[in-house]
Amino acid sequence: MALPAAATAQECRLALVLALDVSSSVDATEDTLQRQGLVAALTAPEVRAAFFATDAPVALAVYEWSGRYNQELILDWVVVRGPAELLMAAETVAASKRSHNDFPTAMGYALGYGAGLLERAPDCLQQTLDMAGDGQNNDGFGPKAAYRAFDFAQVTVNGLVVNAADYEAEVGLIAFYQREVMHGPGAFVEVAQGFEDYERAMRRKLERELSPPVFGALRQPGDRG
């Protein structure tokens, strides 16, 4: 007897894409901090518990972005059904090498790349894309234009702001993410106070997105967005 479509979709509860900023404003030390921070967050006990809080697995992919044509896949789609897949995903990120370091911040193009990645994602009940970055869009079209140009109708876009404030123009970065980047039901922005705080912010964001019954839809006191 064939299962209903809704029951079949329960095989994957969330397709989650993580996008890392490698634009020229991120130096080598900061890039190391964000990669190590992501690895530590993926293997943190509370994040592992959130991944496996239900029998329905999560599909995960990771890419890095900077200029208009400078996006590189770090981790292709893996369905995280158990600790072995999660460890493999973390080890893949840990072994990754930065692809570019001298390009501007083309966030619209980065979102377009993420939309293409989600088009070939495993069939999941929900789709979420996370944009991490330390600067506003300064090359090509911005996030709002990307949401019009690409299929984001069923996608939630959350943000991880690295509030490093190296440049005067970035003092409004949190507001930019809240105004331009957040997209879809339950979208939110998590803030890291510098790259040294990246691990904590990523861990908190992942726990919030992955914890059932909803992934990122519930706001908590003090949350931005």
Side-chain angles (χ1 to χ4, degrees):
M1 178 178 177
L3 292 174
T8 302
Q10 288 285 354
E11 293 179 359
C12 177
R13 58 187 169 98
L14 175 66
L16 177 62
V17 182
L18 307 177
L20 306 181
D21 181 2
V22 295
S23 61
S24 57
S25 61
V26 179
D27 66 28
T29 298
E30 292 168 340
D31 181 64
T32 297
L33 285 170
Q34 74 172 338
R35 288 176 202 270
Q36 291 178 346
L38 175 54
V39 171
L42 286 171
T43 55
E46 58 267 49
V47 174
R48 288 201 305 267
F51 262 104
F52 307 124
T54 77
D55 291 334
V58 172
L60 182 66
V62 183
Y63 69 98
E64 60 183 44
W65 63 277
S66 56
R68 298 187 184 198
Y69 311 110
N70 307 110
Q71 304 91 31
E72 295 291 339
L73 189 63
I74 294 175
L75 174 71
D76 206 350
W77 286 111
V78 57
V79 179
V80 180
R81 301 185 183 278
E85 290 89 357
L86 184 56
L87 179 60
M88 181 276 290
E91 289 176 340
T92 300
V93 175
S96 67
K97 302 298 182 183
R98 182 175 186 167
S99 60
H100 304 285
N101 61 13
D102 56 354
F103 290 93
T105 304
M107 194 174 291
Y109 285 83
L111 285 165
Y113 182 90
L117 195 55
L118 284 165
E119 283 182 357
R120 62 178 186 82
D123 186 19
C124 300
L125 290 174
Q126 293 186 317
Q127 293 188 330
T128 295
L129 192 157
D130 282 340
M131 291 296 296
D134 74 337
Q136 299 185 31
N137 183 78
N138 59 22
D139 185 30
F141 58 88
K144 287 191 174 181
Y147 297 145
R148 293 192 297 268
F150 301 99
D151 185 8
F152 279 91
Q154 303 300 319
V155 179
T156 296
V157 180
N158 297 325
L160 196 162
V161 172
V162 184
N163 197 33
D166 289 335
Y167 304 99
E168 184 178 353
E170 305 307 347
V171 296
L173 187 57
I174 296 172
F176 171 80
Y177 262 75
Q178 292 173 332
R179 183 180 66 250
E180 303 284 340
V181 180
M182 283 186 358
H183 174 83
F188 67 95
V189 170
E190 189 65 55
V191 178
Q193 298 299 340
F195 282 91
E196 295 81 1
D197 192 38
Y198 195 97
E199 176 188 342
R200 181 207 60 80
M202 177 63 76
R203 185 174 67 244
R204 185 173 185 272
K205 180 180 62 59
L206 287 172
E207 186 180 9
R208 179 173 175 181
E209 290 168 332
L210 294 164
S211 296
V214 291
F215 322 113
L218 296 180
R219 298 175 184 269
Q220 300 174 1
D223 284 337
R224 296 174 175 86

